[in-house]
Amino acid sequence: MTKFLIILGSYAAAVFFASMAIDKLRLGRLPGDIVIKRKRGKKPIYLPIATTMLLSFTISFLYWLSV
């Protein structure tokens, strides 16, 4: 159980830092990415669907080339 929680926490941290890096590099502004703007100064909700698909295809292709 402890090993599972460590792996889950590591994965969550990696996803968090990767999303911050994508935001800093402005990679997540593709058509198909969804931004929900809210009222009263709350932070917008950002769903990078197209960016996620592009990264997934790229990583899969690189993996396919290496095998």
Side-chain angles (χ1 to χ4, degrees):
M1 181 68 172
T2 304
K3 186 177 180 180
F4 172 73
L5 290 175
I6 291 172
I7 292 171
L8 183 65
S10 299
Y11 178 73
V15 168
F16 173 74
F17 287 120
S19 68
M20 289 183 64
I22 288 171
D23 190 38
K24 293 284 183 188
L25 295 174
R26 304 239 183 230
L27 292 175
R29 304 291 183 213
L30 298 174
D33 291 345
I34 299 172
V35 178
I36 301 172
K37 296 180 181 178
R38 303 189 303 174
K39 296 181 181 179
R40 300 184 187 179
K42 293 183 180 180
K43 291 185 178 181
I45 298 173
Y46 181 65
L47 304 170
I49 295 171
T51 302
T52 304
M53 290 174 59
L54 177 67
L55 289 174
S56 175
F57 292 145
T58 303
I59 292 170
S60 296
F61 181 71
L62 292 174
Y63 176 75
W64 180 76
L65 286 177
S66 69
V67 173

